[in-house]
Amino acid sequence: MSAFLDALGRVPPLLANHVLLSAAALLLGIAISLPLGIWSARNATVARVSLGFASLVQTIPSLALLALFYPLLLSLSALVGGGIPALGFLPSLIALTLYALLPILRNAVAGLHGIDPAVIQAADAVGMTPAQKLRLVEAPLVAPVLIAGIRTAAVWTIGAATLSTTVGQPSLGDMIFAGLQTQNWALVLAGCVSAAALALAVDALIGAIEYGIRARRRWLWIASAVVLVLGTAAATAPLWPKGGADRTVVVVGAKNFSEQYILARLIGDRLEQAGYTVEYRDGLGSAVVFGALSGGDIDVYVDYAGTIWANEMKRNDVPERPAMVAAIADWARREHHVGLVGSLGFENAYAFAMKGNAAKAKGIASLDDLVKAAPSLTLGSDLEFLERPEWAAVKRSYPLRFAKTTPYSPTFMYRALESGNADVISAFSSDGRIAADGLTVLTDPRRAIPSYDAILMVAPKRAGDAKFVATLKPLVGRIPVEAMRAANYRVDRDTDKQTPEAAATWLANRIGR
């Protein structure tokens, strides 16, 4: 219970961002749907196009739709010379607005089509203009049906807003994603309960407005609307402007696994001690995080040499580790004006791993050995690996043909291996669970997998900031892989788990402040 109560303490600022995003998307969806619904009710061609488009949007997974707008906005920003934020609020707003369209638009059209023709004829007979007919006759009759659509759209929007974490927009999804990756179920529960409570409260208030209009109880719908507006204002209070704005706010980015959460807090702690105000953007995917840095949406994060080499530079050769890091530094500075502060001192490479006793029984010690056994084995991977260049490089070097491949979140990938649902996993070499679970890491004799030195990278606007770089410089070369494994395991172990913040404090003390 205490862990759950502690997790609830993180809710207010995330709730504020969640409410602001959901309310903005819903209001924008209403602003688009109302005139479009009226037009569609009067024009069959417009109705087919608008409803068809809104229905098509609903077939696209919300996570995919959110991710889609990031590269589109990034390209548009580059085309117009910058100034368009590609990460965070804007892509989330656009995606959620599109999701809100269908129920509002469909109910508006259905409501207008459902009005008794005799009522419309009577309005025409008394000489009402189209505007008067819409305002005095159609709108009151359609309002209950329309608000029912708004009610549905509001619940959908609040639920889908949790996924905005993946494109850098703070929301209650931050708690859910972080909790899933670190197996902090109190954090997951607090995020889910808060999102559900918000959706139920909004649904109840809009439902009261709907009932008040249908039952002609003006006081009820007005009171419900006032409570809804005041509640929205109160929930977003943490975001209200405050006097004395701090110009030294920096944003630390992190991908969606334990090590990244720990390193982000380690970096943030140093920056706070140097006088900076720190914000975190957690749960970012590998496909967006470097673009977020180069575009200035985040100020600093830790990436891995092999990831930049394969994903961003599109290189498939495998040089020695120092040469790779030097080449990345030169490319990042030359092509994107991004600064590479240095390597942290450890490598977190992809590494195929098996249970120690299973590997020994099957005589598998290398990827060459794995080739023969693969047709009878199941591969479990993280969510990205099967689509990454590294997997393509491995398949070019080793003709692996597994009986089945299944992607998991990193936490559940290790559980799949433990339970027997996977025989081999695409593990991470700095993960503490490798030693703790007695796993055997298979060697890569053909050097298909590049090195993955953890590298500290800063945004263009920070690369020339001597104070900022000097604050981070003491981390370079200071983190041995043994220390990183131990810090990771403090978060990932099943019992006596620690938060990423606590693990970062332990790591800072271990390497020396």
Side-chain angles (χ1 to χ4, degrees), residues 249-337:
V249 173
V250 296
V251 180
V252 181
K255 299 185 187 183
N256 58 348
F257 53 95
S258 301
E259 181 172 289
Q260 286 277 307
Y261 295 133
I262 295 169
L263 291 173
R265 271 63 190 177
L266 180 69
I267 292 167
D269 181 61
R270 291 196 65 86
L271 290 170
E272 286 177 345
Q273 290 181 37
Y276 294 95
T277 300
V278 175
E279 295 179 358
Y280 296 98
R281 293 290 182 273
D282 294 329
L284 301 175
S286 292
V288 305
V289 66
F290 181 80
L293 184 79
S294 61
D297 293 308
I298 61 177
D299 293 293
V300 57
Y301 84 110
V302 175
D303 213 321
Y304 303 94
T307 299
I308 299 295
W309 191 258
N311 289 17
E312 303 298 334
M313 297 174 67
K314 310 300 181 186
R315 297 279 294 268
N316 54 28
D317 53 320
V318 186
E320 296 295 330
R321 290 170 60 182
M324 178 181 288
V325 172
I328 291 171
D330 178 67
W331 169 84
R333 176 185 51 77
R334 187 179 65 255
E335 298 291 334
H336 298 279
H337 307 292

Side-chain angles (χ1 to χ4, degrees), residues 128-187:
M128 284 189 179
T129 65
Q132 290 174 326
K133 186 165 59 176
L134 175 64
R135 180 170 59 87
L136 300 174
V137 178
E138 292 174 313
L141 294 174
V142 171
V145 178
L146 176 63
I147 293 175
I150 294 173
R151 187 177 177 181
T152 301
V155 174
W156 283 7
T157 301
I158 291 169
T162 58
L163 299 174
S164 65
T165 293
T166 57
V167 291
Q169 169 60 25
S171 73
L172 293 170
D174 288 20
M175 301 173 69
I176 298 171
F177 278 89
L180 286 172
Q181 294 305 327
T182 61
Q183 300 183 72
N184 185 337
W185 307 121
L187 205 58

